[in-house]
Amino acid sequence: TVTDAVLGALNLPDIGQLFPDSDPKWKGARSDIFLKEAVRLMEERGYTLGNIDCTIIAQRPKLSPHKEAIRKNLCALLNAHDSVVNLKA
C-alpha cells in the first residue's frame, strides 16, 4: 500500500504494472524491494516524502507492541524523517 501511495503520487503505474509477478525478476520478491524501487524513482525525479499516514487493519497479530519498530523501518525504507511517517493499527 505504501509503495502504491508513492507510485500514485508520482503519477506512475501501480505496483502490479511496474513489478508484475509474471516477470521472473520480481516473482517472489520481498515487499521492501518494491518500496525501495519506488523511493528510488521518487528521488530520481527530485521529490522527497512530505507526509505519510499508514493504517494497518488486522485482527492478528496484535501490532501495538510492534508499531514503533514498523514505523522506524518505514522511515528507513522511505529515507524519511520520523516526524513525517505516522502508523496506526
Side-chain angles (χ1 to χ4, degrees), residues 49-54 71 75 78-86:
L49 187 70
N51 287 311
I52 192 157
D53 184 37
C54 309
R71 192 179 72 78
C75 291
L78 292 164
N79 294 332
H81 189 272
D82 62 358
S83 66
V84 302
V85 178
N86 188 44

Side-chain angles (χ1 to χ4, degrees), residues 10 28 56 62 78:
L10 297 171
I56 301 171
K62 295 294 183 189
L78 292 164

Side-chain angles (χ1 to χ4, degrees), residues 4 16 18 42 44 54 57 60 66-67 70 74 81 87 89:
D4 269 331
L18 283 182
M42 176 183 72
E44 179 178 271
C54 309
I57 300 171
R60 290 195 173 109
H66 310 286
K67 280 174 41 177
I70 294 168
L74 276 173
H81 189 272
L87 179 71

Side-chain angles (χ1 to χ4, degrees), residues 9-87:
L10 297 171
N11 197 29
L12 292 173
D14 68 29
I15 192 171
Q17 291 174 287
L18 283 182
F19 313 109
D21 63 4
S22 58
D23 182 341
K25 177 181 179 180
W26 303 116
K27 190 165 182 74
R30 296 177 7 185
S31 60
D32 66 320
I33 301 299
F34 304 128
L35 185 52
K36 287 176 185 176
E37 181 64 12
V39 169
R40 186 191 68 74
L41 292 169
M42 176 183 72
E43 291 173 345
E44 179 178 271
R45 286 163 173 74
Y47 292 98
T48 58
L49 187 70
N51 287 311
I52 192 157
D53 184 37
C54 309
T55 303
I56 301 171
I57 300 171
Q59 291 292 319
R60 290 195 173 109
K62 295 294 183 189
L63 295 177
S64 289
H66 310 286
K67 280 174 41 177
E68 188 57 23
I70 294 168
R71 192 179 72 78
K72 292 240 182 247
N73 190 41
L74 276 173
C75 291
L77 290 168
L78 292 164
N79 294 332
H81 189 272
D82 62 358
S83 66
V84 302
V85 178
N86 188 44
L87 179 71

